[in-house]
Amino acid sequence: MFNANPDIRSIAVAPGAECLVIDDALSDPDRWVALASEHRHAFAEAPFNAYPGVELRMPDALSAKLDAFFGEHIRKRLGARRTLRMYSRLAIATRQLDQLEPRQWICHRDRLEIAPDRCIAASVLYLFRDPSLGGTAFFAPRRGERETAVLIHESGQLSAGEFTARYGIAPSYPVATNDWFEKTAVVAAKWNRLVFYEGGSVFHASDIQAPQRLDADPRRGRLTWNGFFVCRRAAA
């Protein structure tokens, strides 16, 4: 399924954090687009997360193959030593600006209720050929931890108007520096490019600069294969 001899590049994306980039990751990426197209009507929004579109959870057997690649090539480099649990999904970003909720106007960290001795890694595999659909952006908070935590909490509690009035953030995909977050890096989208990063500690977001180009059709839209790994943190 995966390239047996991956060329892994490291890109600094935030202070003390890197993103690992593998091009030509899958041996047959078109097969995945065909799979998504075949099961198009099974994609659905997941209210428990802030993803701005629809998704389809992958069977454990397929997720295990991604985890095996992660374990062999990536895990140690991200400061982890054992995967405790993980899952993966196909996802298609579809929401236009007027459909976004305040929590989708800001970048985020992956929160999976983990203990201090654990960490979260994330992966994104771009399964679309149009790079203008957007890669992955990374950010650093410009306020303290407490202030930032309140902002994040209230992004899921306040109405759009209330959130804008209180925080000065207008409806938009998070693609630029603002008063709350500094944009520190972008990894561009490329067909069959796979990226891994510390999703639990580094703020990130889909870098969707042209939402009018989004499409729910897996063959034309921003289709990705996303993985989430809860790992035991390596000893310092």
Side-chain angles (χ1 to χ4, degrees):
M1 179 181 294
F2 287 97
N3 187 331
N5 297 293
D7 178 19
I8 303 172
R9 294 181 291 117
S10 174
I11 298 174
V13 295
E18 64 177 344
C19 178
L20 301 175
V21 181
I22 302 102
D23 287 334
D24 302 316
L26 293 176
S27 58
D28 186 7
D30 285 297
R31 178 182 175 188
W32 286 83
V33 179
L35 175 70
S37 184
E38 180 183 351
H39 296 279
R40 174 178 176 178
H41 298 294
F43 281 76
E45 292 202 358
F48 57 83
N49 67 43
Y51 184 74
V54 293
E55 56 190 69
L56 177 64
R57 185 152 177 162
M58 290 290 91
D60 290 346
L62 286 178
S63 293
K65 294 181 182 296
L66 177 60
D67 185 44
F69 183 89
F70 171 69
E72 181 178 358
H73 300 286
I74 303 297
R75 187 169 59 208
K76 185 176 180 180
R77 295 182 60 164
L78 291 183
R81 62 186 174 91
R82 184 160 65 90
T83 302
L84 301 174
R85 67 181 190 274
M86 65 85 61
Y87 78 97
S88 73
R89 70 189 186 202
L90 291 175
I92 309 172
T94 57
R95 289 198 177 192
Q96 296 300 304
L97 297 187
D98 61 352
Q99 298 172 316
L100 295 176
E101 303 168 21
R103 61 181 179 159
Q104 295 162 332
W105 304 351
I106 61 174
C107 53
H108 65 280
R109 292 178 293 195
D110 301 320
R111 292 304 192 195
L112 299 175
E113 300 180 343
I114 62 169
D117 65 336
R118 299 177 185 181
C119 57
I120 300 172
S123 67
V124 182
L125 202 158
Y126 307 114
L127 291 167
F128 53 92
R129 288 183 166 86
D130 181 358
S132 72
L133 294 176
T136 302
F138 297 89
F139 299 82
R142 306 181 78 180
R143 308 287 182 96
E145 184 69 29
R146 176 178 171 78
E147 227 179 329
T148 303
V150 172
L151 166 79
I152 293 169
H153 173 73
E154 294 200 335
S155 72
Q157 303 297 315
L158 300 178
S159 69
E162 291 171 330
F163 189 74
T164 295
R166 183 168 299 181
Y167 293 106
I169 300 175
S172 173
Y173 277 99
V175 296
T177 293
N178 60 24
D179 290 341
W180 290 87
F181 297 97
E182 178 184 356
K183 190 175 186 178
T184 55
V186 177
V187 176
K190 182 181 178 181
W191 168 250
N192 201 20
R193 169 173 285 174
L194 174 60
V195 302
F196 290 89
Y197 51 88
E198 298 175 16
S201 60
V202 180
F203 282 95
H204 56 278
S206 301
D207 193 47
I208 299 175
Q209 303 270 354
Q212 71 277 8
R213 298 182 65 84
L214 298 177
D215 194 308
D217 187 334
R219 296 185 182 275
R220 295 193 300 267
R222 191 182 185 278
L223 174 67
T224 58
W225 182 18
N226 303 71
F228 303 90
F229 311 80
V230 176
C231 303
R232 192 170 300 282
R233 194 182 300 277

